[in-house]
Amino acid sequence: MATMTGCMTFSGDKLSELEPIKPLASPKIDTTVSPDYQYDIDVMQVITSNKDGRMVNERVIELPWKDNGYISEANYVKLGEFTGNADYNLTLSGRHTVDSSTAMQIISGLTLMLIPYTVDQEYDLVYTLENVKTGKTYTAKANETESMVGWLLFFPAFPFSMLGSMNAMEHLSEHVYQDFVSQGAFAPEPAGNNETE
């Protein structure tokens, strides 16, 4: 029945919509999740904070940055196990909060989704970026919200149901990237640095 009922996602408005920019370089990055990263959910938690952080990185960093040509490759590594083969190391910390009423979800299910329920999420993300060669670090923060409403009457909108969630991820992704660029990250190396001694 769940696959036959509708839901609609809505992006928050904490971050403005930014147009993608032309990258000056497309480096390789290693990503990891800090133990300080918190995944707070007020219903049954079925995944760990680390797993949630990896999924957030995939949606905010890896997929959109690859699509925009911002990076050429991204690999997850365990904390403290950066390979040294990437151009940059990226660490996620911060918090992802999920708020929903278990009672309302039960009531909604019992009424076959005639009574709607909501799931509210907030992403308060902090990214630390390290240039592997120079050791220079940069920090970018981004905060955005996302909500989902499950309701039988939203079933006809199924093809568009994830647009709000996708927009929220795009807001986070673009703000983090452009924040790093404004600090001087992801700049191409001077030609002299590529010369063989």
Side-chain angles (χ1 to χ4, degrees), residues 57-78:
N57 275 345
E58 183 177 19
R59 297 184 67 199
V60 174
I61 302 298
E62 297 176 18
L63 295 178
W65 285 16
K66 284 182 182 178
D67 287 344
N68 289 331
Y70 294 162
I71 58 174
S72 60
E73 185 180 334
N75 296 298
Y76 168 78
V77 299
K78 293 181 179 179

Side-chain angles (χ1 to χ4, degrees), residues 5-177:
T5 55
C7 69
M8 183 66 69
T9 58
F10 303 89
S11 173
D13 57 4
K14 290 178 176 289
L15 296 175
S16 60
E17 186 170 345
L18 297 178
E19 289 295 326
I21 60 176
K22 183 177 181 180
L24 297 176
S26 297
K28 296 179 181 179
I29 66 171
D30 279 347
T31 68
T32 195
V33 179
S34 168
D36 295 331
Y37 175 79
Q38 298 179 39
Y39 175 48
D40 294 335
I41 182 169
D42 63 355
V43 292
M44 183 179 295
Q45 184 166 338
V46 294
I47 63 174
T48 64
S49 292
N50 181 270
K51 178 63 175 178
D52 179 75
R54 292 180 64 179
M55 292 190 296
V56 167
N57 275 345
E58 183 177 19
R59 297 184 67 199
V60 174
I61 302 298
E62 297 176 18
L63 295 178
W65 285 16
K66 284 182 182 178
D67 287 344
N68 289 331
Y70 294 162
I71 58 174
S72 60
E73 185 180 334
N75 296 298
Y76 168 78
V77 299
K78 293 181 179 179
L79 186 68
E81 296 184 11
F82 287 120
T83 64
N85 297 323
D87 301 298
Y88 288 88
N89 296 329
L90 186 69
T91 303
L92 168 66
S93 56
R95 181 190 301 264
H96 174 202
T97 304
V98 181
D99 184 21
S100 182
S101 169
T102 302
M104 284 306 301
Q105 289 191 36
I106 294 173
I107 292 172
S108 181
L110 291 175
T111 61
L112 301 181
M113 302 286 284
L114 286 174
I115 296 178
Y117 70 94
T118 60
V119 178
D120 297 315
Q121 301 188 64
E122 181 171 7
Y123 299 88
D124 191 6
L125 308 181
V126 181
Y127 280 101
T128 302
L129 183 72
E130 178 191 17
N131 185 312
V132 174
K133 285 189 176 180
T134 67
K136 186 173 182 179
T137 60
Y138 313 84
T139 300
K141 300 179 181 180
N143 178 265
E144 186 57 285
T145 58
E146 171 191 338
S147 61
M148 187 274 285
V149 179
W151 193 21
L152 182 63
L153 296 185
F154 278 149
F155 175 69
F158 174 74
F160 313 102
S161 63
M162 295 306 296
L163 285 180
S165 178
M166 292 169 61
N167 287 338
M169 296 302 103
E170 289 174 2
H171 294 170
L172 291 164
S173 175
E174 205 61 41
H175 275 268
V176 169
Y177 179 77

